[in-house]
Amino acid sequence: MLRVCEIFASMQGESTHAGRPCVFLRLSGCNLRCSYCDTSYAYQEGNDRSLDDIARTIASFGIPLVELTGGEPLLQAETPLLAQRLCDNGFEVLLETNGSFDISNLDPRIHVVMDIKTPSSGTAAHTHWMNIGFLKKDDEVKFVLEGRPDYEWARRVTLEQALASKCTVLYSPVFGRLLPSDLASWILEDRLPVRLNLQIHKYIWPPDMRGV
């Protein structure tokens, strides 16, 4: 069983898969409380559902790309098993995690999008740094940045850990707090080997709309 907050189809709004139709499985619960969290409703909301029921619901949308998100999906022990089952069923599976849980035991077919928490989040100390050694070329690392101090911190981590040689690196501005144009300018000035990552679903639909 897994506790599920919601399952819905939408356009993928972030990562290198942005703009693709995607089924989102949002799992309930999170071990962190980031200052800029935009899905805090997932902390508590949800219903227990069997893996078979979840898999059937996902298949009913007829979309080959699936993202497991939260909350924090790895907070629930059965999440890796469901992700493996979806891979077995022919789905392309993305798993977005806050980086505080070990990813070494995940099926290698899963595309991990790992959020490395910046200082402004208030949760940077929870990062499980050993995860960097388990990243694959088709995985992605995301930094969510609230301002210049976050940017400088992320730049240092990116370069010291040689992240761009391991996987795709995404820099994402906190919606409504950091102008994308400012972040783009900083990236260009420093010639960083990273990708500007905007939450395009918040430009297509109202930023606080759920299920899109």
Side-chain angles (χ1 to χ4, degrees):
M1 302 290 286
L2 282 168
R3 190 158 184 81
V4 176
C5 179
E6 57 187 350
I7 305 177
F8 60 95
S10 184
M11 302 302 293
Q12 176 60 250
E14 302 185 67
S15 79
T16 58
H17 300 273
R20 294 180 60 188
C22 182
V23 178
F24 290 86
L25 168 62
R26 187 179 307 286
L27 295 169
S28 304
C30 189
N31 60 313
L32 303 183
R33 295 293 183 268
C34 297
S35 62
Y36 47 68
C37 181
D38 56 4
T39 54
S40 58
Y41 59 87
Y43 293 165
Q44 302 293 335
E45 289 185 22
N47 297 289
D48 293 333
R49 299 177 62 171
S50 70
L51 301 193
D52 288 341
D53 179 41
I54 296 169
R56 282 193 299 268
T57 300
I58 289 172
S60 71
F61 288 99
I63 297 174
L65 181 65
V66 178
E67 176 170 312
L68 279 60
T69 186
E72 169 49 49
L74 294 181
L75 187 63
Q76 300 191 54
E78 296 297 313
T79 298
L81 181 60
L82 174 65
Q84 180 179 355
R85 181 179 299 189
L86 292 172
C87 290
D88 291 342
N89 291 343
F91 289 97
E92 186 176 2
V93 179
L94 312 178
L95 189 147
E96 185 162 1
T97 176
N98 62 27
S100 65
F101 288 90
D102 184 4
I103 64 170
S104 63
N105 63 340
L106 294 176
D107 189 301
R109 295 172 294 178
I110 298 167
H111 303 289
V112 174
V113 181
M114 188 175 77
D115 193 341
I116 295 182
K117 297 301 181 181
T118 53
S120 72
S121 73
T123 60
H126 294 271
T127 298
H128 184 63
W129 292 102
M130 294 293 289
N131 281 333
I132 290 175
F134 302 113
L135 292 168
K136 311 180 300 296
K137 288 297 289 184
D138 59 357
D139 291 335
E140 306 181 20
V141 164
K142 179 175 72 172
F143 294 89
V144 179
L145 312 171
E146 191 173 55
R148 183 73 191 191
D150 275 351
Y151 171 79
E152 294 178 356
W153 184 89
R155 178 183 61 191
R156 177 178 59 80
V157 173
T158 299
L159 297 176
E160 288 182 355
Q161 298 290 336
L163 290 178
S165 68
K166 298 176 173 66
C167 64
T168 299
V169 182
L170 311 169
Y171 278 24
S172 179
V174 176
F175 189 87
R177 300 189 194 177
L178 173 60
L179 290 175
S181 57
D182 287 343
L183 179 52
S185 295
W186 301 339
I187 292 171
L188 287 169
E189 288 170 4
D190 290 332
R191 299 294 193 264
L192 282 183
V194 304
R195 179 170 179 153
L196 180 64
N197 179 59
L198 302 181
Q199 295 176 298
I200 65 171
H201 53 289
K202 293 185 178 180
Y203 294 88
I204 300 171
W205 297 286
D208 58 350
M209 182 179 288
R210 288 178 55 174
V212 296

